[in-house]
Amino acid sequence: MSKVATSKQQEVQRIVEALSIAIAQHRLKPGTRLVEAQIVDVLDANRNHVQSALQRMALQHIVTIEPNRGAMVAQPEAREAREIFTARRAIESAIIACITPENMAAHLAELEAQQLAEVNATKLDDRREIVRELSQFHLLLGKVSGNQVLSEILANLMVRSSLIVALYQRNDIPSCQCDEHSAIVSSLKEGDLARAQAIMIAHLNELEQQLDLNDTSPDSLSLRQALTLSS
Ligand SMILES: [Zn+2]
């Protein structure tokens, strides 16, 4: 790759990351219009790079691009939300299956620092920080596994999970529990992968049950509203 191409890729990646983090931390809500000119301004970026970043995020189902209307933060349907949790159960089980005692030894300090950060965030009662630390745990297990393909798939699923939580969470309680994370780490330390997987599956089932995914289709509702307003 030429030097110009490489720096373009890095710049596009920088924009993708800035937007993904804002979405993951619920600073950008589902359905928010992503105005190119504003992104250019705030991120001090080139317009072509911003367009490439938005197109890449559309392929990742994090952004929706509509003709003549531009880009907005995606609003996953309830069906997609269920599919993402099914995918997370499969991917996060596979990640745990890859974690060897050597992986654990190499990342033990990082895992312990992560657990401390989760406890501290919960004590401070800073919702944004809690959301950040709790999802960081799942991403860290991907890193510990050493499997980059699984980690990349999980990173995409985690951003899409944030959209789902923002749209369908029944209440404002944090979506993960530190003690379940601790139980997963304890099982991993003992080398009991089957138990770590079982706790992870139960944990993800619990997260899915906190969502209200039985609603009527948001599309038909907004259509009805639209027709009522126009009559
Ligand atoms: Zn969790």
Side-chain angles (χ1 to χ4, degrees), residues 134 137-138 176 181 203 207:
L134 293 178
F137 171 77
H138 292 260
C176 279
H181 290 178
H203 176 55
L207 296 189

mmCIF file of all heavy atoms in Angstrom, residues 134 137-138 176 181 203 207, ligand 1:
data_model
loop_
_atom_site.group_PDB
_atom_site.id
_atom_site.type_symbol
_atom_site.label_atom_id
_atom_site.label_comp_id
_atom_site.label_asym_id
_atom_site.label_seq_id
_atom_site.Cartn_x
_atom_site.Cartn_y
_atom_site.Cartn_z
ATOM 1 N N LEU A 134 -18.035 -1.772 31.923
ATOM 2 C CA LEU A 134 -18.660 -3.089 31.849
ATOM 3 C C LEU A 134 -18.529 -3.696 30.458
ATOM 4 O O LEU A 134 -18.312 -4.894 30.307
ATOM 5 C CB LEU A 134 -20.130 -3.010 32.280
ATOM 6 C CG LEU A 134 -20.344 -2.680 33.769
ATOM 7 C CD1 LEU A 134 -21.823 -2.569 34.081
ATOM 8 C CD2 LEU A 134 -19.690 -3.695 34.690
ATOM 9 N N PHE A 137 -14.927 -5.035 29.737
ATOM 10 C CA PHE A 137 -14.605 -6.386 30.232
ATOM 11 C C PHE A 137 -14.740 -7.429 29.118
ATOM 12 O O PHE A 137 -13.871 -8.275 28.929
ATOM 13 C CB PHE A 137 -15.528 -6.757 31.407
ATOM 14 C CG PHE A 137 -15.407 -8.199 31.819
ATOM 15 C CD1 PHE A 137 -14.318 -8.635 32.572
ATOM 16 C CD2 PHE A 137 -16.350 -9.141 31.435
ATOM 17 C CE1 PHE A 137 -14.182 -9.968 32.931
ATOM 18 C CE2 PHE A 137 -16.225 -10.478 31.791
ATOM 19 C CZ PHE A 137 -15.131 -10.883 32.544
ATOM 20 N N HIS A 138 -15.851 -7.336 28.379
ATOM 21 C CA HIS A 138 -16.095 -8.320 27.320
ATOM 22 C C HIS A 138 -15.027 -8.211 26.233
ATOM 23 O O HIS A 138 -14.533 -9.208 25.719
ATOM 24 C CB HIS A 138 -17.508 -8.128 26.744
ATOM 25 C CG HIS A 138 -18.581 -8.483 27.731
ATOM 26 N ND1 HIS A 138 -19.235 -9.682 27.709
ATOM 27 C CD2 HIS A 138 -19.071 -7.804 28.796
ATOM 28 C CE1 HIS A 138 -20.101 -9.721 28.714
ATOM 29 N NE2 HIS A 138 -20.027 -8.591 29.386
ATOM 30 N N CYS A 176 -24.606 -4.795 32.927
ATOM 31 C CA CYS A 176 -23.784 -5.925 33.356
ATOM 32 C C CYS A 176 -23.609 -5.873 34.865
ATOM 33 O O CYS A 176 -23.754 -4.835 35.477
ATOM 34 C CB CYS A 176 -22.382 -5.858 32.750
ATOM 35 S SG CYS A 176 -22.258 -6.440 31.080
ATOM 36 N N HIS A 181 -18.975 -10.901 36.235
ATOM 37 C CA HIS A 181 -17.665 -10.803 35.580
ATOM 38 C C HIS A 181 -16.593 -11.444 36.467
ATOM 39 O O HIS A 181 -15.733 -12.172 35.985
ATOM 40 C CB HIS A 181 -17.306 -9.338 35.315
ATOM 41 C CG HIS A 181 -18.152 -8.709 34.232
ATOM 42 N ND1 HIS A 181 -18.015 -7.393 33.874
ATOM 43 C CD2 HIS A 181 -19.104 -9.219 33.431
ATOM 44 C CE1 HIS A 181 -18.866 -7.131 32.888
ATOM 45 N NE2 HIS A 181 -19.548 -8.212 32.611
ATOM 46 N N HIS A 203 -25.045 -15.022 31.881
ATOM 47 C CA HIS A 203 -24.894 -13.560 31.962
ATOM 48 C C HIS A 203 -25.524 -12.890 30.729
ATOM 49 O O HIS A 203 -26.276 -11.926 30.847
ATOM 50 C CB HIS A 203 -23.392 -13.262 32.056
ATOM 51 C CG HIS A 203 -23.026 -11.822 32.058
ATOM 52 N ND1 HIS A 203 -23.550 -10.920 32.952
ATOM 53 C CD2 HIS A 203 -22.172 -11.114 31.268
ATOM 54 C CE1 HIS A 203 -23.033 -9.723 32.718
ATOM 55 N NE2 HIS A 203 -22.204 -9.803 31.691
ATOM 56 N N LEU A 207 -28.777 -10.386 30.369
ATOM 57 C CA LEU A 207 -28.762 -9.075 29.678
ATOM 58 C C LEU A 207 -29.899 -8.988 28.668
ATOM 59 O O LEU A 207 -30.562 -7.963 28.542
ATOM 60 C CB LEU A 207 -27.440 -8.856 28.938
ATOM 61 C CG LEU A 207 -26.150 -8.770 29.759
ATOM 62 C CD1 LEU A 207 -24.998 -8.329 28.861
ATOM 63 C CD2 LEU A 207 -26.310 -7.802 30.912
HETATM 64 ZN ZN ZN B 1 -20.956 -8.212 31.146
#
